[in-house]
Amino acid sequence: MLFRSDRDTRVANLSAGGSLVAEWYYLVRRALDRPNSLKTVIAGFADPCSRLSSNSWVNSYLPFLMSWSDVIRDWKNGYISTPAAKRLAFLTALPVLHVKDEIMARVISEASSQLRPAMDEVLRAEGVKAALRLPSSGAEVHDPYLDLKRFISLVRGRGLRLVFVQNPISSSERTPATETCVRDFLRLCHSFEVECANLSQALPDEMFEKDGVHVRHDEIPSFRKLLDDVERGH
């Protein structure tokens, strides 16, 4: 995700590899809470087919971006399911638990006198106590666009220009499935009336790593130029 300021020609890169739209929301919100003169937000999609779902929240950077009150509020507003809210409350209380499922972490803590005090502290955290009071089950999140809608609303609410970009991929990675994702991306832009740029075929194969997806480090300036052109409306 890229930001451009109207007082500074530099670009701030807030990208997070493999991030979800929910993470975009919290990254942008955190950036906008600070004094700035942001003008444009460019959000890049690698795979819009799989990165919209709120139900994948627990496998993300969100424990490092959210407070427990964010978790409870988003659960109440229907952005996340009850199981996800419970797990995220644990993970935000002690982000190191993100490396393991919190159930496994509790099992380990019960068996280890060294880890037990740390887990006791987590269980005393307000967010965790609130999560433990949630019902044992709850409705799943069915609208895959909930996070996207509030991300768009956040950016537009601040009067910023928003551009969606379909990231480049090499010819070796262009399959019927990826072409379907590109079409989904274009439909997404149209449905939400967001300016978009399809860069899926904008770079030659030699500019990619062997995986055909990541741009080589020495070719990043070429990708940067593409984004500069997008920002200027070319």
Side-chain angles (χ1 to χ4, degrees):
M1 192 173 308
L2 302 173
F3 292 80
R4 184 174 294 279
S5 164
D6 57 5
R7 294 187 306 184
D8 192 334
T9 58
R10 290 177 301 175
V11 169
N13 186 347
L14 296 184
S15 298
S19 57
L20 302 168
V21 175
E23 291 163 285
W24 295 2
Y25 172 82
Y26 279 99
L27 284 166
V28 172
R29 195 186 75 170
R30 182 172 291 191
L32 294 178
D33 283 342
R34 287 153 177 75
N36 59 64
S37 56
L38 298 178
K39 184 177 179 182
T40 302
V41 177
I42 300 176
F45 286 85
D47 182 2
C49 296
S50 64
R51 307 312 293 174
L52 295 175
S53 174
S54 299
N55 294 320
S56 301
W57 275 36
V58 290
N59 302 312
S60 68
Y61 300 96
L62 286 169
F64 305 95
L65 296 172
M66 300 174 73
S67 67
W68 70 265
S69 57
D70 290 329
V71 175
I72 301 302
R73 183 185 61 250
D74 285 350
W75 171 78
K76 288 180 177 178
N77 291 333
Y79 286 102
I80 51 178
S81 66
T82 299
K86 288 190 173 186
R87 293 185 64 190
L88 278 169
F90 274 97
L91 298 177
T92 54
L94 188 60
V96 71
L97 294 184
H98 191 39
V99 301
K100 293 286 186 181
D101 183 279
E102 83 280 359
I103 300 300
M104 180 60 70
R106 292 190 69 177
V107 171
I108 293 173
S109 71
E110 292 292 338
S112 169
S113 59
Q114 291 84 3
L115 290 178
R116 183 57 186 269
M119 180 53 69
D120 286 343
E121 183 177 347
V122 171
L123 293 175
R124 287 194 297 270
E126 287 300 316
V128 172
K129 288 193 290 186
L132 292 175
R133 291 194 295 268
L134 294 178
S136 58
S137 63
E140 291 295 317
V141 177
H142 295 295
D143 183 354
Y145 299 111
L146 274 178
D147 295 316
L148 187 67
K149 290 173 182 175
R150 72 167 174 173
F151 170 71
I152 294 172
S153 177
L154 174 66
V155 175
R156 287 177 170 168
R158 299 297 182 94
L160 305 180
R161 177 186 173 209
L162 175 62
V163 185
F164 286 166
V165 168
Q166 178 67 42
N167 293 343
I169 56 174
S170 69
S171 60
S172 63
E173 294 298 308
R174 292 178 202 141
T175 65
T178 58
E179 292 304 313
T180 296
C181 282
V182 171
R183 289 194 295 271
D184 288 346
F185 164 76
L186 295 174
R187 281 197 294 267
L188 203 67
C189 295
H190 177 74
S191 297
F192 291 98
E193 299 181 334
V194 176
E195 182 181 351
C196 73
N198 179 12
L199 303 182
S200 59
Q201 301 183 37
L203 294 178
D205 289 353
E206 59 267 21
M207 290 188 177
F208 291 89
E209 299 285 0
K210 291 181 180 180
D211 62 10
V213 175
H214 295 92
V215 178
R216 286 184 6 223
H217 187 270
D218 59 318
E219 295 293 351
I220 289 178
S222 299
F223 184 44
R224 166 69 183 273
K225 183 179 183 303
L226 288 176
L227 295 179
D228 283 343
D229 289 343
V230 167
E231 193 280 328
R232 296 186 183 101
H234 294 173

